Amino acid sequence: MKNVLKPTILAAVSCLAVETTLASDVLLIKGNGMLERQSPIMQQEEVSTQERLLTEMGHTLTVIDEPAVTQENLNEYDLVIYTNVGQAYHAGQSTFDTLRIAYQNGGIPLYFLGDDVAYMIPSSGLNNVEDLLLVRSTSNNGSASTITLTQSHPIGLEVGSISYNRDIDVTSVFSTEILTIGTTSSGHPVVVAYENQQGTRITTQLVSIKAANEGIVSDDVAGLANLEKLYQNSINWLLENQGDDDNSEGSYQDGYEAGQQACLENPTSCGIGTCEPATLSSDFKMHLPLLHYSPSAANDSAIMPLWVDLKIT
């Protein structure tokens, strides 16, 4: 299911506030290299970490193996993540052809993860994918490094340095239009991003999220926290434009109905009096009337409209 607004009703005395989040369905593809060369335990560590971080953000995660990728199942999601957890081998050309269609024609943002993402190109003989992965593989023989993020970009915002004890691909960006947000100590790009003319985004991150291999990330608690912050920043940035499409009107309606129903069923838990349904505004698409309510349970005679002005960020 595509993204849906989830209203949460918060009350303090006679004041009512409404907080909305845009919940998205995320698909995680476990790459062939990960499936063939990582133990089930290591695979689960990577998946469970991402699931925890996405759940904290209000999103849902579905996980499939690379051989199960089809155009039909990609189209059901708001974001697709491809991870190989540092194992480049045997990535499928058909997978990336399908991802390209989902990105270019379906408007689905993509997130590539793993320190051997760039090396998948020569190791697996992939063709015409550098513009999708955003990077070229210069060498697979990188070294341990400290990753530094650009704080001025939303992906790097408030993300400190990350110590990484595994060989990150030595890469260069595919074109000058691609933003370099994170670099290694040697200045090679490690986190890059791109947005096409339709507003659909791609991020490639040559760092695994979870220390799935012993020694990938050093015993640096702050660095591990920064890695998770980097992941959540990337998710937010990738999904930022996803509410601005033809499906958004249905999402607003879903959010309106859910919030209205929650208050109608249990108005006293909201700290308010009698609730009555309001009608949607025909003038302002983002000016959403959630309900009409009495500001105090002790005084049902004073009816006030409650409106929510939505700004998807």
Side-chain angles (χ1 to χ4, degrees):
M1 183 174 65
K2 289 290 185 177
N3 43 34
V4 174
L5 287 168
K6 288 184 175 179
T8 304
I9 300 178
L10 309 171
V13 193
S14 61
C15 300
L16 184 69
V18 175
E19 180 182 85
T20 60
T21 57
L22 192 61
S24 296
D25 292 318
V26 179
L27 177 68
L28 175 66
I29 300 170
K30 295 197 293 184
N32 285 338
M34 176 181 179
L35 293 170
E36 295 173 14
R37 299 172 68 91
Q38 295 282 18
S39 71
I41 293 176
M42 290 178 179
Q43 292 179 38
Q44 185 55 40
E45 284 180 350
E46 178 78 6
V47 171
S48 61
T49 300
Q50 293 195 45
E51 184 172 32
R52 171 176 59 81
L53 294 172
L54 288 166
T55 300
E56 288 176 4
M57 303 171 74
H59 306 312
T60 57
L61 179 67
T62 300
V63 183
I64 64 171
D65 296 343
E66 184 172 337
V69 171
T70 66
Q71 197 63 62
E72 289 71 23
N73 57 27
L74 294 191
N75 289 339
E76 297 298 317
Y77 296 91
D78 304 300
L79 169 66
V80 174
I81 303 172
Y82 180 98
T83 183
N84 66 14
V85 194
Q87 299 295 337
Y89 304 99
H90 304 141
Q93 181 70 49
S94 62
T95 301
F96 287 87
D97 293 342
T98 303
L99 288 171
R100 179 183 299 281
I101 294 171
Y103 172 72
Q104 292 181 341
N105 298 348
I108 299 173
L110 304 176
Y111 191 4
F112 296 103
L113 284 167
D115 58 52
D116 267 359
V117 163
Y119 188 60
M120 288 191 302
I121 300 170
S123 70
S124 300
L126 298 176
N127 296 310
N128 303 316
V129 297
E130 291 177 333
D131 63 323
L132 200 63
L133 294 175
L134 308 182
V135 289
R136 292 188 172 100
S137 176
T138 304
S139 170
N140 186 41
N141 299 314
S143 59
S145 184
T146 297
I147 298 165
T148 304
L149 283 301
T150 301
Q151 296 287 316
S152 59
H153 191 278
I155 289 178
L157 186 64
E158 298 180 354
V159 179
S161 60
I162 300 167
S163 299
Y164 204 71
N165 286 349
R166 191 183 168 101
D167 62 320
I168 304 170
D169 288 349
V170 179
T171 63
S172 60
V173 293
F174 174 73
S175 77
T176 57
E177 296 178 336
I178 294 165
L179 297 175
T180 298
I181 298 160
T183 57
T184 64
S185 304
S186 303
H188 298 293
V190 66
V191 181
V192 294
Y194 174 72
E195 179 177 337
N196 66 16
Q197 292 182 343
Q198 288 72 44
T200 310
R201 296 170 170 178
I202 300 178
T203 295
T204 295
Q205 179 181 312
L206 305 180
V207 189
S208 300
I209 293 304
K210 174 67 179 176
N213 278 358
E214 214 174 295
I216 283 186
V217 181
S218 66
D219 294 331
D220 174 7
V221 175
L224 288 168
N226 285 329
L227 188 57
E228 294 190 356
K229 174 67 173 173
L230 172 63
Y231 178 83
Q232 292 186 323
N233 282 0
S234 298
I235 296 293
N236 281 334
W237 184 77
L238 287 163
L239 289 169
E240 189 174 38
N241 293 341
Q242 289 306 98
D244 301 334
D245 57 24
D246 292 338
N247 294 323
S248 59
E249 185 174 350
S251 298
Y252 301 146
Q253 180 66 23
D254 289 341
Y256 157 69
E257 291 175 356
Q260 172 188 302
Q261 189 61 35
C263 181
L264 288 171
E265 290 176 354
N266 195 4
T268 56
S269 68
C270 304
I272 62 177
T274 304
C275 298
E276 297 179 6
T279 57
L280 284 171
S281 168
S282 60
D283 300 321
F284 303 100
K285 186 174 182 180
M286 299 292 287
H287 192 55
L288 183 68
L290 183 64
L291 48 89
H292 289 165
Y293 73 101
S294 169
S296 171
N299 182 10
D300 280 347
S301 62
I303 303 298
M304 297 177 63
L306 173 68
W307 297 81
V308 180
D309 287 290
L310 299 176
K311 181 180 180 182
I312 299 172
T313 59

